[in-house]
Amino acid sequence: MPEQRPGDRPTLEAVAARAGVSRATASRVVNGGDGVRPHLVEKVQVAIRDLGYVPNPAARTLVTRRTGAVAVIIPEPEIRIFSDPFFSRQVRGISKELTAHDTQLVLLLVEDRGDYDRIERYLAGGHVDGALAFSLHTDDPLPAIVRRIRMPTVYGGRPGWTAGPGEAGGGDARVAYVDADNRAGAREAVRYLAARGRERIAHIAGPLDQTSAADRLSGYRDVLPQAGPALVAEGDFTVAGGARAMAELLDRRPGIDAVFAGNDLMATGALRVLRERGRTVPDDVAVVGFDDAELVAENADPPLTTVRQDIEGMGRMMAELLLETLAGRGERPPPGPVITSTELVRRASA
């Protein structure tokens, strides 16, 4: 074997020579293979540390048939992804879990429909082992893409073709996803407002082509089945969308005395319009949001009562489910859905 010169990148052969084992044994240790005696594993690991050896990614992929990378796909415009703290918290949870398992996160953004061809080519090209996707809309082509190329995928949020908690079917056990119990959280928020004597409770819904928004609207209607369409306005999960919806509601029903908004950003937009219209919060109108998003709910004026979901924890669980699927691929059925609980956090807005 040629002598390794100072400055050369350490090779697998050098690791094997330092450890006193064959190249095949060193390769099995580096790539996580079985059948190597513990004392030899320790020798190889010591040699790796001493030499500062870093496996060649291409060679490792050939041996393990794994890239060590996972795609995170968010079908939302870039401006929304970087302005809504929900996305940063979910990606943070995903990143922490992948990092703990020495797996690279590859972020794929979808600005318009034309981006799906690029994403399909990338996923089909074998650059990643699996995918995590969240914030899907009803007509999103991504689920069909990952099914077509048989890409292991975990969804953030209940996909639109599965039943929600408490609905007939109770969810599709063949689909791996992580979601909060949006319907139960919405019910708790509206009951809280009703218990405090609020009689004209309106709802600012998120985009109803997303299951989280539809489930929160269903929770609102569970408590107030008599509430007519004049008390519901659809926003888009943004501050501006919440402001537009709040103005629309006040124009229709000036006597509104409470608002349950489908997320915290829309709730802050509602607060702004209420202030502009001369309504005090919570004396004239109580406001409740959803998410307990970082730096949004606590810094609102007044601070928001809101439904907390563990956004970062859900991201971590998404990554856990995918890694579990990849580890047992072909040997056991994929994990089913995980539904996490919510909690009402009381602050000054209600």
Side-chain angles (χ1 to χ4, degrees), residues 5-319:
R5 294 170 299 181
D8 285 351
R9 177 176 176 170
T11 64
L12 186 60
E13 288 79 4
V15 170
R18 173 69 69 95
V21 300
S22 69
R23 186 187 187 284
T25 297
S27 177
R28 283 201 298 275
V29 174
V30 168
N31 294 304
D34 298 325
V36 182
R37 285 173 288 179
H39 77 281
L40 295 180
V41 171
E42 184 177 355
K43 284 186 175 182
V44 172
Q45 289 173 341
V46 169
I48 289 170
R49 288 195 299 270
D50 289 348
L51 294 174
Y53 173 74
V54 178
N56 181 298
R60 188 170 189 175
T61 296
L62 287 173
V63 173
T64 65
R65 306 215 177 256
R66 295 275 292 274
T67 66
V70 164
V72 174
I73 308 169
I74 311 176
E76 295 288 354
E78 184 177 306
I79 189 170
R80 183 167 172 228
I81 291 168
F82 292 108
S83 63
D84 187 338
F86 176 90
F87 296 108
S88 61
R89 290 180 71 179
Q90 191 132 64
V91 171
R92 184 189 308 161
I94 291 169
S95 178
K96 285 181 178 179
E97 188 65 21
L98 293 180
T99 298
H101 289 84
D102 195 24
T103 300
Q104 181 66 40
L105 184 158
V106 179
L107 184 61
L108 302 178
L109 304 183
V110 181
E111 192 68 26
D112 56 47
R113 303 286 287 195
D115 288 331
Y116 284 102
D117 289 340
R118 169 181 57 83
I119 287 174
E120 181 169 6
R121 289 194 304 271
Y122 185 83
L123 296 178
H127 302 290
V128 294
D129 300 319
L132 300 167
F134 55 92
S135 199
L136 296 185
H137 297 258
T138 302
D139 63 348
D140 201 300
L142 184 62
I145 290 171
V146 298
R147 284 196 297 267
R148 186 161 56 244
I149 64 177
R150 298 185 178 183
M151 172 67 64
T153 302
V154 174
Y155 297 97
R158 177 175 66 85
W161 66 87
T162 67
E167 297 180 14
D172 188 341
R174 297 166 297 175
V175 179
Y177 69 88
V178 177
D179 201 3
D181 195 339
N182 292 293
R183 191 166 183 167
R187 283 197 297 262
E188 185 178 12
V190 179
R191 284 173 180 154
Y192 176 80
L193 290 167
R196 273 142 191 80
R198 305 292 171 158
E199 298 178 345
R200 295 171 297 282
I201 304 171
H203 177 47
I204 298 176
L208 294 175
D209 65 344
Q210 292 190 289
T211 57
S212 59
D215 289 347
R216 291 168 198 177
L217 175 58
S218 294
Y220 167 82
R221 286 179 169 155
D222 287 343
V223 181
L224 300 175
Q226 76 284 1
L231 285 171
V232 177
E234 185 174 346
D236 58 4
F237 283 149
T238 70
V239 174
R244 286 193 301 270
M246 188 72 254
E248 183 182 330
L249 288 167
L250 289 172
D251 290 342
R252 289 188 209 152
R253 298 289 295 271
I256 288 169
D257 62 4
V259 177
F260 165 52
N263 79 341
D264 291 344
L265 290 179
M266 293 194 300
T268 60
L271 289 174
R272 186 181 73 199
V273 170
L274 288 168
R275 191 160 46 245
E276 291 170 354
R277 297 283 187 100
R279 307 300 208 279
T280 60
V281 177
D283 295 341
D284 297 330
V285 183
V287 177
V288 175
F290 201 111
D291 282 345
D292 198 26
E294 188 174 40
L295 302 180
V296 176
E298 290 184 0
N299 292 336
D301 183 21
L304 272 174
T305 293
T306 187
V307 179
R308 174 182 292 158
Q309 57 176 335
D310 184 2
I311 301 169
E312 187 171 325
M314 290 192 295
R316 178 181 52 78
M317 283 185 272
M318 287 173 62

